C-alpha cells in the first residue's frame, strides 16, 4: 500500500519514494530534546508523532534507521533568532539549579552539581530516556543496542568545525569583525525554500526575527551563527576561530550527515523548528555537500494546547510525563492521548481527554486478554479485526491519519462479543489470527506493550482504602445512601475510583 505524506518542503501531500526504493530502507532524522529540564508533553507530542510515522513505515515493509539528537550545548533561549539570541539553555539550567540549591529548593530527585553543565545534561538526558521508554519511543528503545542513534552535539564538535571550514572554503561562510563565523545567506539563493521566507522579508523584519545587536558586523541581517568564540562560555572548545561553541543549527546537520548520509529521506520536528532551525540546516548541509537536497521529506507536528490555551506553569497547565503519572494516568493512555489528533492539527490536551484515553486502552487490553485466552479455538471465516487491517493501514498511509485508524480499530472491536467463550468454528483459522491482527494494528499505535494500568502518585494507603470501602459497604447495607456517597467522594479525593460488581467492590487510581 502506498504511503502518502504531507511534505513541508513542497506544501502538499506526496507519494513517499525513499532514496533506496529497491532495498526499502529509510533514513529518518528527528530533532529531539534540549536536556536542560524535564521534557514536557508538547515536546513529546512531536517525538511520538515521529515515532508513529516510523511505525507506519515499518507496517508497510520499510526498514527504518531512525536517529534523534539530544542537544546538550549551543541551543539558545531565543531560538526564534536565526543566529541564536539570549543565552545557552544549558547555562540557564546551571544558574537555575545553583539558585535552587542555594535556597534549599532543588526539585525532588535532582541531585547534580550546578557548576557542571555536562552533569546537568547527563541527568536530564537520563530523565528523558526514562520517560521516552515508558511511552514506547522506538528510537529510545534502539539506544540499548544502537547508542549512536541518540547522538549528542558535544560528541560531534570536530565534525562541526570541519563543516564550518568547508562552508568558508566554498564561499558560504565568513568570519565577521566580532570573530564570529556566520553563514552568508546571500550566497544561497534557495534560502527560505522550506519556510517561505525571503531574504528581503527577513531584512525588513517580516520573515523572522533578527538579532539587532549583531547587525553592524554581519553582511546581511539573516546571516546566522556557525561558531562563536567565547572565553566565558561554560562549554567551549578550541577551533581555528578561537575557543568557543557551535551554533545550534549546525549540530543537526553534522549529526544527520555523519550517521545517515549526505542526503536523507525524512527529517521531523515541531512546527516551530521550520524557521529558523530547519531552514538553516538545509542551507548549511547543501552548502557543504553540494547535494540538491538535504532531506527529501519534511514532517512537522503542530502545537499542543492545554485546556484551549498555551501551556503555562502559572495557570497549572504545564505538564511533564511524571506530572501525569502522579495524577494516575498510565503510560499507554498518555501515549494515546498525545498521538490521536492528526499531527498537522493543533491538539488540545485535557485531563478529561486523558481519562477517555485511559478507558480506551483498558478496553483494548481486555480484548487482547480475551483473545489470548481463546487463541487456540478454531474459527470460521475472517474475524472483524483481521478484516479491519486493510482499512487501518489505508488510514495510516493517508498522511498518518491516526484518528482514522483508531476509528477502524474501534469498529472492529465493537463487533466482537466477549461475554462467553467463542463456539469452535469449522475453518482452518484460529482466534489467535485475530490476536495477531490486533497486534499488527497496535504495532503502529504502540500502546498495548506499555503499562495500561493507571498509576498512583506517591504512597498508597491500601489499609485506609480498605477501611473506607468497608465503611461504605456497611452504609449501603444500612441504606444510608448519603453516608455511602460521602465515603465514595472521600475515596475520589484520594484519587481512587471504586466499582461495585458481583465479586464485591474493586478500586483503581484515576487521573486527577
Amino acid at each position: 500500500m502506498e504511503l502518502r505524506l504531507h511534505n513541508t518542503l513542497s506544501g502538499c501531500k506526496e507519494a513517499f519514494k525513499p532514496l533506496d526504493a529497491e532495498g526499502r530502507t529509510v533514513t529518518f532524522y528527528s530533532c529531539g530534546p534540549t536536556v536542560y529540564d524535564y521534557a514536557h508533553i508538547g515536546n513529546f507530542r512531536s517525538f511520538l508523532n515521529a515515532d508513529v510515522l516510523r511505525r507506519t513505515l515499518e507496517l508497510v515493509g520499510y526498514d527504518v534507521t531512525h536517529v534523534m539528537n539530544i542537544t546538550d550545548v549551543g541551543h539558545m533561549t531565543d531560538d526564534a533568532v536565526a543566529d541564536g539570541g539570549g543565552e545557552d539553555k544549558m547555562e540557564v539550567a546551571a544558574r537555575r539549579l545553583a539558585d535552587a540549591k542555594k535556597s534549599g529548593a532543588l526539585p525532588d530527585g535532582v541531585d547534580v552539581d550546578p557548576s557542571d553543565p555536562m552533569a546537568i545534561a547527563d541527568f536530564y538526558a537520563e530523565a528523558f530516556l526514562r520517560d521516552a521508554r515508558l511511552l514506547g519511543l522506538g528510537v529510545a528503545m534502539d539506544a540499548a543496542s544502537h547508542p549512536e542513534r541518540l547522538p549528542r552535539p558535544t560528541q560531534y564538535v570536530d565534525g562541526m568545525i570541519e563543516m564550518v571550514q568547508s562552508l568558508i572554503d566554498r564561499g558560504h561562510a565568513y568570519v565577521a569583525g566580532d570573530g564570529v563565523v556566520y553563514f552568508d545567506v546571500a550566497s544561497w539563493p534557495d534560502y527560505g525554500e522550506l519556510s517561505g521566507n525571503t531574504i528581503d522579508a527577513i531584512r525588513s523584519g517580516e520573515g523572522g526575527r533578527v538579532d539587532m545587536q549583531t547587525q553592524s558586523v554581519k553582511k546581511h541581517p539573516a546571516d546566522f551563527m556557525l561558531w562563536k568564540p567565547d572565553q566565558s562560555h561554560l562549554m567551549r572548545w578550541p577551533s581555528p576561530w578561537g575557543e568557543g561553541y557551535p551554533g545550534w543549527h549546525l549540530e543537526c546537520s553534522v549529526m544527520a550527515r555523519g550517521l545517515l548520509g549526505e542526503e536523507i529521506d525524512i527529517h521531523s520536528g515541531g512546527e516551530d523548528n521550520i524557521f529558523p532551525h530547519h531552514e538553516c540546516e538545509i542551507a548549511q548541509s547543501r552548502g557543504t555537500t553540494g547535494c540538491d537536497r538535504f532531506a527529501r521529506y519534511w514532517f512537522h507536528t503542530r502545537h499542543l494546547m492545554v485546556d484551549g490555551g498555551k501551556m503555562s506553569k502559572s495557570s497549572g497547565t504545564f505538564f511533564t510525563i511524571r506530572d501525569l503519572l502522579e495524577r494516575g494516568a498510565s503510560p499507554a493512555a498518555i501515549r494515546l492521548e498525545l498521538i490521536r489528533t492528526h499531527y498537522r492539527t493543533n491538539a488540545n490536551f485535557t485531563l478529561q481527554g486523558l481519562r477517555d484515553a485511559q478507558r480506551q486502552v483498558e478496553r483494548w487490553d481486555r480484548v487482547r486478554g480475551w483473545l489470548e485466552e481463546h487463541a487456540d479455538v478454531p474459527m470460521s471465516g475472517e474475524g472483524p479485526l483481521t478484516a479491519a487491517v486493510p482499512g487501518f493501514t489505508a488510514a495510516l498511509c493517508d498522511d498518518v491519519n491516526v484518528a482514522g485508524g483508531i476509528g477502524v480499530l474501534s469498529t472492529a472491536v465493537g463487533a466482537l462479543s466477549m461475554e462467553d467463550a467463542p463456539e469452535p468454528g469449522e475453518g482452518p483459522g484460529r482466534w489467535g489470527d485475530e490476536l495477531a491482527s490486533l497486534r499488527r494494528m497496535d504495532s503502529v499505535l504502540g500502546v498495548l506493550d506499555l503499562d495500561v494500568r493507571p498509576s498512583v502518585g506517591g504512597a498508597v494507603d491500601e489499609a485506609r482504602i480498605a477501611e473506607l470501602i468497608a465503611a461504605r459497604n456497611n452504609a449501603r447495607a444500612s441504606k444510608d445512601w448519603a453516608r455511602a456517597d460521602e465515603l465514595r467522594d472521600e475515596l475520589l479525593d484520594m484519587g481512587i475510583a471504586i466499582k461495585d460488581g458481583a465479586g464485591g467492590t474493586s478500586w483503581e487510581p484515576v487521573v486527577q
Side-chain angles (χ1 to χ4, degrees):
M1 195 171 294
E2 183 180 69
L3 172 64
R4 295 184 64 81
L5 285 177
H6 183 273
N7 187 353
T8 308
L9 188 61
S10 66
C12 62
K13 198 184 296 186
E14 301 176 10
F16 178 70
K17 303 293 184 185
L19 286 159
D20 182 19
E22 293 185 5
R24 295 188 70 78
T25 62
V26 174
T27 50
F28 187 176
Y29 186 92
S30 294
C31 280
T34 300
V35 284
Y36 69 106
D37 206 342
Y38 295 114
H40 56 68
I41 57 175
N43 302 138
F44 269 103
R45 183 183 187 225
S46 176
F47 306 151
L48 289 171
N49 275 318
D51 186 64
V52 171
L53 172 56
R54 170 202 171 142
R55 289 166 178 261
T56 298
L57 289 160
E58 292 171 340
L59 177 72
V60 296
Y62 289 107
D63 181 13
V64 184
T65 301
H66 191 189
V67 170
M68 183 173 71
N69 66 291
I70 294 181
T71 296
D72 56 4
V73 66
H75 189 176
M76 312 306 282
T77 53
D78 196 351
D79 53 20
V81 176
D83 55 347
E87 302 175 87
D88 190 309
K89 291 188 175 184
M90 295 308 304
E91 296 205 356
V92 173
R95 187 170 62 252
R96 182 187 77 238
L97 293 176
D99 292 343
K101 186 173 184 178
K102 189 181 299 182
S103 63
L106 272 175
D108 290 342
V110 178
D111 184 19
V112 295
D113 179 0
S115 67
D116 184 351
M118 287 309 302
I120 296 169
D122 290 343
F123 174 83
Y124 284 118
E126 285 303 315
F128 167 75
L129 285 173
R130 285 193 298 272
D131 290 345
R133 288 166 179 153
L134 273 176
L135 299 186
L137 197 65
V139 70
M141 304 296 190
D142 293 344
S145 55
H146 296 283
E148 73 280 2
R149 294 187 185 176
L150 286 175
R152 288 165 61 163
T154 49
Q155 302 165 344
Y156 286 82
V157 174
D158 288 346
M160 295 180 209
I161 292 171
E162 290 174 9
M163 181 171 281
V164 173
Q165 187 61 61
S166 174
L167 289 168
I168 292 172
D169 294 342
R170 289 170 173 262
H172 296 306
Y174 61 93
V175 182
D178 58 359
V180 177
V181 185
Y182 291 102
F183 186 92
D184 184 358
V185 296
S187 75
W188 196 254
D190 288 343
Y191 191 75
E193 63 179 342
L194 182 71
S195 63
N197 283 326
T198 66
I199 292 179
D200 287 342
I202 296 171
R203 182 191 299 275
S204 65
E206 296 171 358
R209 290 183 51 211
V210 295
D211 185 352
M212 300 308 296
Q213 293 181 339
T214 64
Q215 294 318 298
S216 62
V217 297
K218 289 163 52 169
K219 293 182 179 179
H220 188 281
D223 292 349
F224 58 90
M225 184 188 86
L226 297 172
W227 187 273
K228 183 174 183 177
D230 188 343
Q231 292 287 335
S232 65
H233 201 268
L234 279 177
M235 304 168 78
R236 56 187 185 271
W237 293 264
S239 82
W241 316 283
E243 193 172 66
Y245 62 96
W248 174 40
H249 317 302
L250 184 67
E251 301 168 357
C252 290
S253 289
V254 170
M255 291 185 286
R257 182 188 182 197
L259 292 167
L260 297 174
E262 294 191 342
E263 184 178 346
I264 64 176
D265 289 308
I266 305 172
H267 197 313
S268 75
E271 67 172 331
D272 54 333
N273 290 144
I274 296 173
F275 187 87
H277 185 46
H278 289 164
E279 194 73 75
C280 296
E281 277 191 61
I282 292 173
Q284 64 203 10
S285 294
R286 291 183 56 202
T288 299
T289 66
C291 293
D292 291 338
R293 289 172 294 194
F294 168 39
R296 294 164 65 91
Y297 302 87
W298 289 85
F299 179 89
H300 290 104
T301 293
R302 296 202 67 184
H303 292 302
L304 178 72
M305 319 262 268
V306 177
D307 292 335
K310 189 175 181 179
M311 279 193 294
S312 166
K313 290 183 179 180
S314 61
S315 62
T317 58
F318 184 95
F319 297 116
T320 64
I321 302 304
R322 61 202 62 232
D323 290 334
L324 298 181
L325 295 173
E326 288 175 359
R327 287 173 172 265
S330 70
I334 296 170
R335 179 182 172 101
L336 182 63
E337 179 62 10
L338 292 177
I339 66 172
R340 61 182 178 175
T341 300
H342 194 269
Y343 76 94
R344 287 199 298 116
T345 301
N346 284 337
N348 185 36
F349 178 91
T350 66
L351 291 178
Q352 183 56 53
L354 189 57
R355 295 184 192 102
D356 294 342
Q358 182 65 50
R359 286 191 289 271
Q360 183 74 82
V361 297
E362 287 173 357
R363 184 187 186 203
W364 293 341
D365 191 48
R366 286 193 296 273
V367 171
R368 190 252 307 267
W370 188 87
L371 290 172
E372 287 175 343
E373 184 179 352
H374 303 103
D376 293 331
V377 177
M379 67 182 299
S380 298
E382 185 179 63
L385 289 170
T386 301
V389 170
F392 178 90
T393 305
L396 271 295
C397 284
D398 182 16
D399 198 24
V400 199
N401 183 359
V402 173
I406 289 174
V408 171
L409 173 57
S410 296
T411 298
V413 165
L416 286 173
S417 175
M418 299 186 297
E419 296 299 321
D420 302 299
E423 291 291 331
E426 297 180 355
R430 296 285 188 274
W431 280 94
D433 298 335
E434 286 287 270
L435 177 62
S437 295
L438 175 65
R439 285 176 173 158
R440 182 165 177 77
M441 288 183 278
D442 184 62
S443 71
V444 177
L445 301 178
V447 297
L448 291 180
D449 285 336
L450 307 182
D451 190 348
V452 303
R453 298 168 300 173
S455 59
V456 179
V460 179
D461 190 345
E462 295 193 17
R464 177 59 177 161
I465 293 171
E467 179 184 328
L468 291 172
I469 289 175
R472 176 177 173 275
N473 288 340
N474 289 336
R476 284 163 56 86
S478 304
K479 298 186 178 181
D480 186 352
W481 309 117
R483 178 58 179 157
D485 288 345
E486 288 176 1
L487 290 163
R488 177 189 286 272
D489 290 343
E490 185 173 347
L491 285 159
L492 278 173
D493 288 342
M494 296 168 58
I496 301 299
I498 57 175
K499 183 177 182 180
D500 298 312
T505 302
S506 60
W507 63 269
E508 64 180 23
V510 295
V511 179
Q512 302 183 70

